[in-house]
Amino acid sequence: MAGLTGRMSTVVKAKVSKLLDRAEDPGETLDYSYQKQVEQLQNVKKGIADVVTAKKRLQMQESSLQQSVVKLDTQARQALAAGQEDLARTALERKNVAQTELQSLDGQVHELEDQQQKLIDSEQKLRAKIEAFRTKKEVIKAQYSAAEAQVRISEAATGVGEQMADVGLAMQRAVDKTENMRARADAVQELEAAGTFDDVTQLGSGEDDIDRQLKQLSSQPAVDDELSKMKAELGAGSTAPEAPQISSGESQPSESGQA
Amino acid sequence: MIVRISGEGQYRLDDGDKDRLNELENAVVAIVEGGQEDGFAQAFAKLLDHVREQGEELGEDDLSGSDVIIPPADISFAEAGKDFTGEGLIPD
């Protein structure tokens, strides 16, 4: 019969039997198993810490991008108000790219949170089984003959070993996920390092490579849309005559949260 | 019969449930092998729900080994392609 879990069961059982093979003397098996279990628990803790670190890195990038979005939006408005439509468009293109990255980062942060929770649950389960094993180990040592003890040990160690293998799998999946995300985080960092989200008013005249790349990365219909919206807002604002000083449009909430 | 849902927990099911489990598993395997990504989540959820509903969850300090281990509930279709081949749910 074709299988769904056959391969998983086989892999896990192979791992468990490896653990059991290590010692022949029952007492030694017990102590060796227990020692391995405690080590594994430490590894799980480290795995959780790694996920948290990866998540924090993404969150820092998120808040930096968030600031860029606000800044670029403001600059686009200012440029438009000053009649510099090209500059406004450039700012909006960059804002659009930043927003797209933000959304993607947001999804990844949620996914890492999910992984973190799963690992915490797994750690708790493993801890409970190890504790049960520790108790059982003493009972076995005290109550059974060597031959009988061997059987009991195998049973008990199988249960813990299986949980260990299961936690190991969860950690592996978490590591794979954080690695995929690291690639994405690096890409965002490159964009930042290239000055993508910097002050657009500092740009020299003429289109540079970054601008050309950004034009491709950003969604032009979305940029067009936002530009005309902004124009309408400014148009409406400027018809209000002699509005003194600080432009009243500034206090309106921007739509920077949405792509 | 003890069934583990990887990343979730262990459940004790009647041995008489074996046929139904195999049936549900075969449906998932057929979907995976046929490359029908659309139907995968639903078929896999059906298998998991059967185990959760019919089974009795083991205590965390229970040291029993499992007869069957089902991949985690959140596996993707692509991951399933790797796990869902080979020997059966309950080896012959």
Side-chain angles (χ1 to χ4, degrees):
Chain A
M1 182 180 65
L4 169 154
T5 55
R7 190 164 162 260
M8 275 207 81
S9 303
T10 309
V11 168
V12 169
K13 276 175 186 143
K15 282 183 179 170
V16 172
S17 76
K18 246 187 200 165
L19 284 170
L20 299 178
D21 277 351
R22 296 298 287 263
E24 274 155 26
D25 169 59
E28 213 180 300
T29 307
L30 281 173
D31 293 334
Y32 178 80
S33 292
Y34 184 64
Q35 179 199 329
K36 278 279 150 206
Q37 291 163 16
V38 173
E39 273 173 35
Q40 177 76 0
L41 203 54
Q42 293 305 316
N43 285 338
V44 180
K45 278 186 187 155
K46 195 181 162 295
I48 294 171
D50 288 347
V51 171
V52 171
T53 305
K55 191 180 80 180
K56 278 191 180 145
R57 185 176 178 212
L58 293 183
Q59 282 171 328
M60 274 165 65
Q61 281 194 327
E62 265 194 310
S63 82
S64 147
L65 276 177
Q66 209 110 46
Q67 285 170 11
S68 298
V69 165
V70 172
K71 185 183 71 191
L72 290 167
D73 186 80
T74 308
Q75 291 189 334
R77 275 168 209 279
Q78 286 168 345
L80 210 52
Q84 294 176 281
E85 188 170 330
D86 283 353
L87 195 58
R89 173 175 284 279
T90 303
L92 288 179
E93 276 164 2
R94 291 175 180 221
K95 181 186 157 193
N96 183 268
V97 172
Q99 280 176 325
T100 308
E101 294 301 335
L102 253 181
Q103 276 187 340
S104 147
L105 283 177
D106 201 45
Q108 293 181 352
V109 167
H110 279 114
E111 199 169 336
L112 285 186
E113 257 156 22
D114 205 36
Q115 293 298 321
Q116 186 185 341
Q117 194 50 53
K118 280 187 183 136
L119 284 181
I120 289 170
D121 292 347
S122 297
E123 191 217 353
Q124 193 200 324
K125 286 207 169 82
L126 183 59
R127 187 187 295 279
K129 292 220 196 265
I130 290 175
E131 185 51 31
F133 184 86
R134 194 179 66 80
T135 309
K136 194 150 196 169
K137 162 169 109 95
E138 298 314 316
V139 174
I140 292 171
K141 272 182 180 170
Q143 289 186 354
Y144 294 101
S145 69
E148 214 176 350
Q150 192 70 62
V151 176
R152 303 276 164 175
I153 290 161
S154 290
E155 285 169 4
T158 297
V160 187
E162 198 182 295
Q163 190 68 40
M164 280 164 67
D166 200 49
V167 173
L169 177 80
M171 291 212 320
Q172 187 54 52
R173 295 182 85 223
V175 166
D176 289 349
K177 284 198 167 131
T178 51
E179 240 139 56
N180 287 341
M181 289 175 193
R182 187 165 300 145
R184 166 63 92 158
D186 287 347
V188 173
Q189 203 154 45
E190 268 172 37
L191 283 175
E192 280 184 325
T196 307
F197 309 122
D198 286 352
D199 196 338
V200 286
T201 59
Q202 302 295 312
L203 292 176
S205 56
E207 200 177 56
D208 61 12
D209 273 356
I210 298 181
D211 288 318
R212 277 187 287 275
Q213 280 177 28
L214 284 172
K215 273 216 170 67
Q216 288 174 347
L217 281 173
S218 60
S219 154
Q220 289 302 318
V223 171
D224 288 341
D225 200 36
E226 194 162 11
L227 193 61
S228 51
K229 227 185 254 169
M230 219 173 243
K231 273 186 195 166
E233 278 173 35
L234 282 171
S238 66
T239 54
E242 295 149 56
Q245 305 254 343
I246 314 291
S247 56
S248 56
E250 290 286 4
S251 63
Q252 285 176 2
S254 73
E255 291 167 41
S256 58
Q258 298 298 313
Chain B
M1 175 169 61
I2 296 175
V3 179
R4 172 186 285 275
I5 300 176
S6 179
E8 188 172 317
Q10 289 170 290
Y11 298 84
R12 190 185 302 279
L13 274 84
D14 284 345
D15 286 347
D17 258 320
K18 188 173 161 175
D19 288 345
R20 179 66 181 144
L21 268 186
N22 275 334
E23 200 180 297
L24 289 168
E25 187 218 3
N26 287 338
V28 178
V29 171
I31 282 171
V32 171
E33 285 178 351
Q36 305 155 260
E37 187 162 357
D38 284 354
F40 170 70
Q42 204 189 354
F44 189 45
K46 232 173 160 180
L47 172 68
L48 296 175
D49 286 345
H50 180 79
V51 173
R52 292 174 188 137
E53 283 161 18
Q54 300 302 313
E56 187 196 338
E57 192 164 5
L58 295 189
E60 286 193 344
D61 58 353
D62 194 310
L63 292 175
S64 308
S66 307
D67 301 294
V68 172
I69 301 173
I70 301 180
D74 66 347
I75 56 165
S76 66
F77 183 71
E79 284 178 296
K82 293 177 206 156
D83 289 333
F84 288 1
T85 49
E87 210 183 338
L89 178 65
I90 294 151
D92 296 327

